[in-house]
Amino acid sequence: MPRTGRPRAFNRDEAVAAAMFLFWEHGFESTSLTQLREAMGGISAASFYAAFESKEALFYEAMNVYKSTYGQVSDSYWDKSLTPKAAIEQGLRRSARMQTDRSHPLGCLLVLAAVNCSPELNHIQEMVAKERQKVRGWLKDCLLRAAENEELPPTADISVLVALFDTFLQGISTQARDGVPYETIDAAITQLMRIWDVLSDKPDIQGIH
């Protein structure tokens, strides 16, 4: 009688982590079931489907693991113990350091994992886009709080500033993949944050590192 179910050595947490790294490195569509099964210790197709039901369900689970671990670099955006400027600057610097860390795939999974998908996988792109939208929402909340606290002038265009910081944040992924070192990106963040000082008409101060 053929063996069914998961092998005794199967560890679900380790399997999801392995899948997360593959999706992060190669993207959702380019990561094959064969690669996933091999990364999980060579489990059978039956074991894979018994454990995860589908590749899409596994990706969703892997994305949640990413958000609760590496993705926590964005937590500062909704940390109200920080000033809005400090929250944004800290988030950018922490994200740059994480994305350029070669102990794992470079860049951000939420930016890179579903950049291009076949039409039938548009829902995967939309799912990841919603996660990026959450980050934009956190940035917007930071900037609105700064305006309310008069840390930014009433003439500041919040939507433009959200686009500015979010475009920089998402662009870190391609910079990291292209081998741009952390030190260069970190210096660029220092330059970017000077925009805040110009808008608030305050002298430039030492950045957060």
Side-chain angles (χ1 to χ4, degrees):
M1 183 175 180
R3 186 177 64 180
T4 59
R6 290 173 289 178
R8 184 180 302 174
F10 182 86
N11 182 300
R12 186 183 185 87
D13 291 340
E14 291 177 0
V16 174
M20 177 189 69
F21 288 127
L22 284 173
F23 289 134
W24 192 350
E25 180 68 31
H26 304 293
F28 174 80
E29 190 163 19
S30 295
T31 301
S32 68
L33 287 174
T34 298
Q35 287 175 302
L36 291 167
R37 288 165 47 205
E38 288 177 354
M40 295 173 185
I43 64 174
S44 67
S47 294
F48 176 88
Y49 287 112
F52 302 108
E53 296 184 4
S54 69
K55 177 182 171 182
E56 294 180 14
L58 172 59
F59 178 69
Y60 182 80
E61 191 169 339
M63 187 172 65
N64 283 334
V65 170
Y66 177 86
K67 291 189 297 178
S68 66
T69 52
Y70 298 98
Q72 288 185 335
V73 292
S74 297
D75 285 0
S76 64
Y77 297 138
W78 43 268
D79 184 351
K80 292 187 178 180
S81 69
L82 299 171
T83 65
K85 180 187 176 185
I88 291 174
E89 185 172 359
Q90 185 179 108
L92 290 172
R93 294 194 192 279
R94 290 175 62 192
S95 185
R97 187 174 293 280
M98 184 278 288
Q99 293 192 53
T100 54
D101 185 346
R102 293 187 175 275
S103 67
H104 52 66
L106 298 173
C108 171
L109 181 147
L110 298 180
V111 173
L112 299 171
V115 175
N116 294 309
C117 284
S118 302
E120 61 270 20
L121 294 175
N122 281 343
H123 59 289
I124 296 293
Q125 286 185 301
E126 291 171 0
M127 178 175 67
V128 181
K130 286 179 180 178
E131 295 301 327
R132 295 194 296 268
Q133 181 61 43
K134 289 179 184 178
V135 177
R136 281 192 288 274
W138 298 338
L139 285 168
K140 183 177 180 180
D141 289 345
C142 271
L143 292 161
L144 288 172
R145 184 159 61 94
E148 291 169 0
N149 296 341
E150 298 184 347
E151 296 172 44
L152 286 174
T155 55
D157 191 322
I158 300 301
S159 62
V160 169
L161 290 173
V162 170
L164 174 69
F165 289 116
D166 186 55
T167 298
F168 187 100
L169 177 62
Q170 294 199 39
I172 293 174
S173 287
T174 52
Q175 295 283 299
R177 283 287 173 98
D178 287 347
V180 177
Y182 166 75
E183 292 76 14
T184 300
I185 300 173
D186 188 59
I189 293 170
T190 298
Q191 294 294 325
L192 177 67
M193 295 310 300
R194 285 177 180 162
I195 292 172
W196 192 293
D197 298 312
V198 171
L199 289 172
S200 59
D201 194 27
K202 293 179 181 178
D204 186 27
I205 58 175
Q206 182 72 26
I208 296 173
H209 293 273

